Amino acid sequence: MTSNVFANLAAPGVAALQPYQPGKPVEELERELGIRGAVKLASNENPLGPSPQVLDALPQLLADLGRYPDGNGFALKKVLAARHSVDPSQLTLGNGSNDILELIARAFVTPANEVIFSQHAFAVYPIVTQAVGARAVVTPATNWGHDLDAMARAVNDRTRVVFVANPNNPTGTWLGADSLARFIESLPPHVLVVVDEAYYEYASRWPTAQDDGYPDTTQWLARYPNLIVTRTFSKAYALAGLRVGYAVSNTAVADLLNRVRQPFNVNSLGLAAAVIALQDEAHLERALSVNRDGMKQLIAVFTELGLEYIASAGNFIAVDVGRDAGPVYDALLRRGVIVRPVANYGMPRHLRITVGTDAENARFIEALREVC
Ligand SMILES: *Cc1c(COP(=O)(O)O)cnc(C)c1O
């Protein structure tokens, strides 16, 4: 291999980027092992798939695929604005919420700035930070969760954005309203705080998170003009393949985010599917119920096997396998079960397991018993 001469030409920060490592696709593992029926519990996808109402509606939209989508997402913004009691001008739609995270960095962060996030936080924060040439400031975690005091202490004149994942992926840890509000209040006006609520639907109905006052921070925008809340249709609404996410913010912030986004960043099927998914409460309830049951199933076996896990308010759980998790991951793969190694998150002894259906969880549990 010759060295990559183009690395010298790359924008500052880009050559040092670690690419995002997605979960291994089922088809790839089946091809490699020559097996069928592999189970993927690696990307925090909703195992029930999309609402049947979404699946019914999509074929009727195919005839219009020759047309550009509505670049302003009028219909979806109308539903979202009503849901969050905000004005449509406070919304920014994204090609998944990862798109939004990138828009935030591009709109607000320069190479002279710093961006703060926690150890073990979502891998996209360092990517969007380094891609714009800014300095990433990583604060130590406390009990696997965000240490908001440490994050507040890391703020200086160069800080422009703080990313807070609530709950966090891959740890599943969450923050209650009081500590989060106090943190946001402590920030100087030149710092934007992004609260990433990708797992809001799970966490907001998770009893222990509710006990801690897990907040809906979209309701805090009137109080905190420097707040940006991101949500996604990829997780509880099961539209990961269609790529729809959004931000709720102050109108002036949304205006800037909308200036840097591509004019047609959200596709027409995604826009339509998101509107329908939001209205199918019954399907969401089913997904939450499957998640609660599955989480119990996984926790029971971890307890039985004496494996420590991190209590999670999402649709996934990180478990300490008591040794280097790499070989355990490989052994599970050979048994047709794909989970997520998280060594790249600074968690070399953990695996992150997405909660699946009862049958999928049972497949994982059977494999885990053989391996452990
Ligand atoms: C999955 C996830 C997202 C969103 O992913 P998109 O599919 O791009 O919407 C954002 N933040 C966290 C913490 C996630 O786990």
Side-chain angles (χ1 to χ4, degrees):
M1 274 272 293
T2 55
S3 68
N4 185 351
V5 293
F6 293 102
N8 298 326
L9 307 179
V14 170
L17 271 179
Q18 296 297 322
Y20 182 81
Q21 294 175 13
K24 192 180 183 75
V26 165
E27 298 74 21
E28 189 179 312
L29 180 67
E30 293 182 343
R31 222 182 309 121
E32 284 171 12
L33 295 181
I35 61 165
R36 300 185 54 180
V39 168
K40 182 182 175 193
L41 300 174
S43 298
N44 299 349
E45 294 147 341
N46 178 340
L48 297 186
S51 152
Q53 294 174 29
V54 167
L55 297 180
D56 283 348
L58 288 181
Q60 292 148 56
L61 303 171
L62 299 181
D64 264 341
L65 284 183
R67 306 213 175 265
Y68 280 102
D70 173 7
N72 289 316
F74 179 82
L76 177 56
K77 281 188 182 172
K78 191 165 162 225
V79 182
L80 289 173
R83 167 157 302 223
H84 296 298
S85 311
V86 298
D87 191 83
S89 64
Q90 292 178 260
L91 296 166
T92 307
L93 301 183
N95 191 244
S97 57
N98 285 329
D99 187 27
I100 299 285
L101 301 176
E102 191 183 344
L103 296 179
I104 293 167
R106 284 182 34 223
F108 292 104
V109 183
T110 74
N113 292 137
E114 294 180 357
V115 172
I116 299 172
F117 48 85
S118 175
Q119 183 187 18
H120 315 307
F122 187 44
V124 170
Y125 310 150
I127 292 176
V128 301
T129 300
Q130 279 176 252
V132 297
R135 192 168 105 86
V137 177
V138 184
T139 55
T142 173
N143 291 324
W144 303 106
H146 294 18
D147 182 343
L148 292 178
D149 293 333
M151 295 178 87
R153 283 195 302 273
V155 171
N156 61 33
D157 290 347
R158 295 180 298 279
T159 309
R160 184 66 81 250
V161 169
V162 181
F163 286 112
V164 175
N166 196 28
N168 182 45
N169 169 18
T171 57
T173 50
W174 63 89
L175 297 159
D178 292 347
S179 56
L180 190 53
R182 233 180 300 118
F183 172 70
I184 296 173
E185 274 159 25
S186 79
L187 296 173
H190 68 273
V191 175
L192 291 160
V193 56
V194 179
V195 180
D196 180 344
E197 295 182 352
Y199 302 93
Y200 174 83
E201 294 77 14
Y202 296 101
S204 61
R205 302 198 214 181
W206 196 257
T208 43
Q210 285 175 330
D211 291 347
D212 291 340
Y214 176 80
D216 172 358
T217 59
T218 65
Q219 300 310 298
W220 292 6
L221 287 159
R223 268 192 282 161
Y224 306 126
N226 54 340
L227 171 64
I228 305 175
V229 186
T230 62
R231 297 274 182 99
T232 183
F233 286 91
S234 297
K235 305 285 161 58
Y237 290 109
L239 298 178
L242 282 177
R243 315 300 306 128
V244 190
Y246 62 98
V248 194
S249 68
N250 181 301
T251 297
V253 169
D255 175 48
L256 291 162
L257 296 178
N258 276 293
R259 288 179 200 210
V260 293
R261 75 174 170 84
Q262 289 187 24
F264 304 107
N265 61 334
V266 187
N267 72 80
S268 49
L269 299 185
L271 287 171
V275 171
I276 300 167
L278 272 176
Q279 284 153 357
D280 191 349
E281 270 292 324
H283 189 69
L284 179 65
E285 286 297 339
R286 278 193 294 276
L288 298 177
S289 164
V290 164
N291 190 60
R292 274 191 297 271
D293 293 346
M295 192 70 93
K296 280 193 205 133
Q297 209 179 346
L298 296 178
I299 286 176
V301 77
F302 297 154
T303 306
E304 182 201 317
L305 295 176
L307 301 178
E308 265 187 56
Y309 60 89
I310 305 171
S312 167
N315 65 342
F316 58 89
I317 183 164
V319 60
D320 182 339
V321 295
R323 54 189 139 137
D324 179 17
V328 178
Y329 167 72
D330 289 333
L332 292 170
L333 274 188
R334 287 194 295 276
R335 287 163 176 78
V337 178
I338 309 169
V339 298
R340 190 66 155 269
V342 284
N344 59 327
Y345 286 87
M347 301 167 69
R349 288 157 56 104
H350 283 80
L351 291 173
R352 191 195 67 193
I353 323 298
T354 300
V355 177
T357 60
D358 184 79
E360 289 169 333
N361 299 333
R363 267 289 298 279
F364 161 72
I365 288 169
E366 187 193 334
L368 184 71
R369 282 184 198 286
E370 286 173 21
V371 171
C372 281

